[in-house]
Amino acid sequence: MSHESLVANRLNSMFEEKKNNLLSVYFTAGYPELNATLDIAEALEKAGADFLEIGFPYSDPVADGPTIQHSSQKALDAGMTLNLLFEQLKELRQRISIPVLLMGYANPMVQYGVERFCAKAAEVGVDGVIVPDLPMYEYEQLYKDIFAKHNLSNIFLVTPQTAEARIRKIDELSNSFIYLLSSASITGRSLTISDTIESYFQRIKDMQLKNPTVIGFGIADKAAYQKATAYANGAIVGSAFVKFLGTENYLERIPEFIQSIKS
Amino acid sequence: MKYTVNDQGYYGDFGGAYIPEMLYPNIEELRQQYLNITEDAGFKAEFEQLLKDYVGRPSPLYHAKRLSEKYGANIFLKREDLNHTGSHKINNAIGQILLAERLGKKRIIAETGAGQHGVATATVCALRGIECVVYMGEVDMERQAPNVARMKMLGAQVVPATSGSKTLKDATNEAMRDWINNPEDTHYIIGSVVGPYPYPEMVARFQSIISLEAKKQLQEHTGKQLPDYVLACVGGGSNAMGMFYHFLDDEEVKLVAVEAAGKGVDSGHSAATSVLGKEGILHGSRTILMQTDDGQVVEPYSISAGLDYPGIGPQHAHLHKVQRAQYVSITDDEALNAGLLLSQLEGIIPAIESAHAFAHLEKMQFRKEDNVIVCLSGRGDKDLSTYIKHFNF
């Protein structure tokens, strides 16, 4: 059986229906309040986010800058765990219809048990997983079949330094979208989209990959969102939203935040 | 070699390269090139020359007669403390700076716990005229202040790691973040046998000079090919891996790795990874690490900054699992007392890291003909204030 026939989830339907200007938003589960996960998700959907990435926090997030590190530590201090997150997500599909991905580091997932993690994620209605420190080799050897069995997409990252042959391989292994990093950097660094970055976006576009692409890292405002979506199917806002969550009355002001990026 | 790495970078179940895509090109470049570069005759000649003339190798294997008398065995100390910069860390730093030059890198980053690796890295960067940035936990900067000053004097920039426990693990996180942000011009000199493959193997090879020399020297001393016991302390485990390397396949040699129990294995303030740890992923490799049931890394504790690390290198995890080496642990107090004992019996003040290995001698049963090698990985100058405080000198 091919990968395509195994995986037909909300992500695939979304990319079929809408090809451009998709907006995804990342936030860390348990931040700024332990039990606000679904409230934030629901507000984002209502405000017009097309899909969501919910971060499961890790003590040592090496690919993240200070903003997401801080939110992760706060969430852990408040008592966030994978068990609690899955408990919170039990009502996910009663409240939210857009695609949802879980994003985090390999160790909490491995410690929880990858099989158990995937089963739980599928059970609550999660569509895919992004684990930046789970490399292609290990995924293929150890986890690909488990992900497929539970109809979960694994999302790979591509950076400006990723070689063409590897991008082709990633395209082959992917079954919903490819996450393009705007630059080789940790999260939350402000980005000016330069000619070099644009030529990298163009290079990827010209490769005519079979999977849609979404650009993330450094997408903090409308200008960056517009540049990114000129080259890819969508863009991901992470640190900028997490920073926003640290401000007052964040829940009722989520529409305002989304408007500031998307309008 | 039965205990070495396979083609995919694994030692049994442990190792691999669990790195974000941003680091893939760097790690792949290293994986493809490090053996070609380090096996090249020109590289070897330069490495050996610097180890001889600059580091002062071979380091002596010293027959510690009064210590031998006390414990009823022939105890030999592998004197890595006599190396330039005061510890074994310089062996790896020299190897990696020569490698970085051949990879065309213009900037060096490193993490450090006790500061020994930071000093070694700052030293080789000064030697070769390359920019150097060292990440060090804020807590460690305080307890190892003389080493911070040494690094600065050598021209390095020392950047405090202020997240988490503000110790070695956090310094390693910060160094990895720097590398992600500066992938093209920068080489990351990891100081221990940890990190994504090929680092654990590369560092072990550079440190393997310790056991290569010791094997030869023991024969000169005793006429025997092999010792009965080899002891070394383990944080991440680089001096231990260097000390074990050429004895790994000699199954009759008993290898003893000594971890830091801190205030006691069950005290909640410990760094005894082999006892408290579980299999997982830390700093790019699958290994044994101290973690919660939820997979969060537990903050370790040891009085010795160099052993204050929540994991062990993947090859150690493998040696532990297949029981090729015995992993034991020693408390802060036991280590400090052993440091005092070595000072007064042999006139050698050891680093508190190394003192952990000596403390375990107290718990062993020897036959008087046993030959025992203990790796004296570093000298105690950097720890004087800790010793002074503890013993009220």
Side-chain angles (χ1 to χ4, degrees), chain A residues 57-64 69 76 80-82 106-108 110-111 132-135 137-138 142-143 157-159 161-162 166 181 184-186 189 217, chain B residues 8 10 16-22 24-25 163 169-170 173-174 176-177 180-184 278-283 286 289 291-297:
Chain A
Y58 180 46
S59 54
D60 294 75
V62 291
D64 285 302
Q69 272 183 64
L76 291 173
M80 182 47 75
T81 62
L82 271 175
N107 195 53
V110 166
Q111 192 57 37
D133 61 340
L134 179 62
Y137 173 81
E138 277 73 15
L142 304 169
Y143 304 128
L157 311 184
V158 162
T159 82
Q161 278 78 40
T162 309
R166 188 166 167 88
L181 266 58
S185 74
I186 55 174
R189 295 187 119 200
F217 282 41
Chain B
Q8 273 72 45
Y10 279 83
Y18 290 79
I19 41 152
E21 187 63 27
M22 298 80 106
Y24 180 81
S163 60
K169 132 182 128 68
D170 311 287
N173 291 341
E174 288 306 327
M176 287 181 110
R177 290 186 184 112
I180 289 173
N181 289 333
N182 301 287
E184 283 175 345
K278 286 179 288 186
E279 292 183 19
I281 294 155
L282 180 67
H283 294 143
R286 193 177 277 266
L289 65 135
Q291 55 182 316
T292 65
D293 291 340
D294 195 46
Q296 309 300 336
V297 182

Side-chain angles (χ1 to χ4, degrees), chain A residues 209-222:
Chain A
L209 303 173
K210 74 176 174 68
N211 287 278
T213 53
V214 179
I215 295 174
F217 282 41
I219 310 296
D221 55 23
K222 193 171 177 174

Side-chain angles (χ1 to χ4, degrees), chain B residues 40-277:
Chain B
D40 172 73
F43 180 96
K44 282 187 167 170
E46 199 173 1
F47 183 53
E48 280 161 21
Q49 191 74 42
L50 282 170
L51 288 184
K52 179 169 172 276
D53 298 339
Y54 189 70
V55 177
R57 300 205 73 92
S59 70
L61 186 74
Y62 163 67
H63 184 199
K65 294 204 180 61
R66 295 188 68 203
L67 199 68
S68 296
E69 209 169 284
K70 174 168 169 60
Y71 290 120
N74 298 311
I75 298 173
F76 296 88
L77 315 187
K78 183 58 177 162
R79 299 291 310 270
E80 294 299 302
D81 62 320
L82 294 178
N83 292 342
H84 178 44
T85 74
S87 84
H88 71 290
K89 293 289 186 189
I90 191 77
N91 304 328
N92 169 54
I94 296 256
Q96 285 205 48
I97 197 81
L98 296 180
L99 176 68
E101 283 178 344
R102 282 158 175 80
L103 291 169
K105 304 292 180 178
K106 307 286 177 228
R107 178 174 174 267
I108 295 295
I109 54 171
E111 84 296 336
T112 196
Q116 295 302 90
H117 173 57
V119 166
T121 304
T123 298
V124 298
C125 286
L127 177 69
R128 308 304 278 205
I130 298 180
E131 184 190 346
C132 180
V133 178
V134 179
Y135 290 90
M136 187 168 188
E138 212 172 36
V139 169
D140 292 339
M141 284 179 74
E142 230 165 83
R143 60 181 164 177
Q144 305 287 341
N147 271 346
V148 176
R150 284 167 84 193
M151 286 185 271
K152 287 182 178 165
M153 189 160 173
L154 291 160
Q157 184 193 348
V158 184
V159 181
T162 56
S163 60
S165 58
K166 299 169 189 169
T167 60
L168 180 55
K169 132 182 128 68
D170 311 287
T172 309
N173 291 341
E174 288 306 327
M176 287 181 110
R177 290 186 184 112
D178 182 312
W179 208 24
I180 289 173
N181 289 333
N182 301 287
E184 283 175 345
D185 66 337
T186 299
H187 176 69
Y188 177 15
I189 301 191
I190 294 184
S192 193
V193 287
V194 303
Y197 177 73
Y199 275 102
E201 185 61 17
M202 203 164 71
V203 177
R205 281 167 180 258
F206 289 140
Q207 292 295 0
S208 68
I209 184 78
I210 300 174
S211 46
L212 188 75
E213 289 173 1
K215 213 170 188 176
K216 213 180 293 168
Q217 291 164 324
L218 184 80
Q219 191 162 23
E220 287 162 14
H221 274 287
T222 65
K224 291 219 170 125
Q225 296 276 353
L226 296 171
D228 297 282
Y229 295 94
V230 173
L231 284 83
C233 64
V234 175
S238 70
N239 91 82
M241 203 43 71
M243 188 73 247
F244 293 171
Y245 198 90
H246 289 283
F247 297 115
L248 285 173
D249 288 337
D250 301 315
E251 304 271 353
E252 61 271 46
V253 179
K254 295 179 198 72
L255 307 175
V256 184
V258 185
E259 295 182 319
K263 293 179 179 167
V265 167
D266 300 319
S267 67
H269 303 278
S270 179
T273 305
S274 71
V275 185
L276 300 169

